[in-house]
Amino acid sequence: DLKGKRFEFVDKLSLSGYLYPLTYLKTASIDPSAYFGSTVFAGDHHGLLKLLQNKSVDAIASTALAFKYLEPSQLRIVAKTGHVPYGAYVAASHLPPAFVRRVREVLLRLCPENQITRHAITHGKLNYNTFVYFDDSQYDYVRYVVQAAGTQLF
């Protein structure tokens, strides 16, 4: 039971570290500021994990990818939210459609197993499997979460 415990989120604009968990809690009629003893923001997933490891907080909301840095004995997953899509690569609306299609084609053909390609795209900071084309409607649930959380992104 986490009632009255110290709970940590990532950042108020983090989908996996705040907005999805907040919507999950609200759906369960839980107001984090009233339910938990304290709620704070770490600023990033790495800092969040350190606070959990150091027992400075009792529970956290983070991306599942962050948990690969902890030993299974260090945590117990108590809930999961819906799928959080990775960041999108987008083009400005003023760019010629042919140019946008060409960039999309190049990204879709990149081979993630090639370390040079991986580093060129991510600067060594992002682990990805491949690029996929997403229709804008696949972000409808993200829009719902943002609205349900009562957050303005822009």
Side-chain angles (χ1 to χ4, degrees), residues 18-47:
Y18 182 64
L19 297 172
Y20 270 57
L22 179 63
T23 301
Y24 179 88
L25 292 168
K26 283 184 170 187
T27 301
S29 299
I30 296 173
D31 173 7
S33 61
Y35 185 80
F36 299 115
S38 66
T39 56
V40 290
F41 293 89
D44 61 49
H45 292 278
H46 183 70

Side-chain angles (χ1 to χ4, degrees), residues 5 14 16-17 31 48 53 67 70 79 95 99 102 104 116 120-122 128-129 135 141 143 148 153:
K5 302 292 184 184
S14 172
S16 61
D31 173 7
L48 188 85
Q53 284 179 308
F67 296 126
L70 293 176
L95 291 173
F99 174 76
R102 180 70 182 127
R104 180 186 309 133
I116 294 171
I121 293 296
T122 68
Y128 76 100
N129 293 324
D135 181 86
Y141 188 71
R143 291 181 189 89
L153 293 182

Side-chain angles (χ1 to χ4, degrees), residues 70-89:
L70 293 176
E71 293 295 321
S73 63
Q74 292 179 293
L75 60 100
R76 180 171 47 112
I77 297 173
V78 295
K80 293 182 180 183
T81 63
H83 172 72
V84 179
Y86 290 114
Y89 283 65

Side-chain angles (χ1 to χ4, degrees), residues 1-150:
D1 186 29
L2 295 175
K3 187 167 181 62
K5 302 292 184 184
R6 300 166 297 172
F7 195 89
E8 182 116 21
F9 293 104
V10 173
D11 179 277
K12 287 194 176 193
L13 295 178
S14 172
L15 284 174
S16 61
Y18 182 64
L19 297 172
Y20 270 57
L22 179 63
T23 301
Y24 179 88
L25 292 168
K26 283 184 170 187
T27 301
S29 299
I30 296 173
D31 173 7
S33 61
Y35 185 80
F36 299 115
S38 66
T39 56
V40 290
F41 293 89
D44 61 49
H45 292 278
H46 183 70
L48 188 85
L49 294 173
K50 280 189 168 189
L51 290 169
L52 184 66
Q53 284 179 308
N54 297 336
K55 299 182 181 170
S56 298
V57 295
D58 300 303
I60 63 172
S62 187
T63 175
L65 294 175
F67 296 126
K68 71 180 182 179
Y69 299 107
L70 293 176
E71 293 295 321
S73 63
Q74 292 179 293
L75 60 100
R76 180 171 47 112
I77 297 173
V78 295
K80 293 182 180 183
T81 63
H83 172 72
V84 179
Y86 290 114
Y89 283 65
V90 299
S93 60
H94 70 272
L95 291 173
F99 174 76
V100 173
R101 275 192 304 278
R102 180 70 182 127
V103 170
R104 180 186 309 133
E105 290 167 4
V106 168
L107 289 173
L108 291 173
R109 283 199 313 260
L110 288 176
C111 177
E113 289 82 20
N114 181 310
Q115 292 301 315
I116 294 171
T117 300
R118 184 182 297 256
H119 194 283
I121 293 296
T122 68
H123 304 287
K125 296 180 182 176
L126 177 68
N127 188 10
Y128 76 100
N129 293 324
T130 189
F131 287 96
V132 294
Y133 176 71
F134 265 48
D135 181 86
D136 184 66
S137 67
Q138 297 196 304
Y139 286 91
D140 286 348
Y141 188 71
V142 174
R143 291 181 189 89
Y144 162 76
V145 165
V146 169
Q147 181 182 13

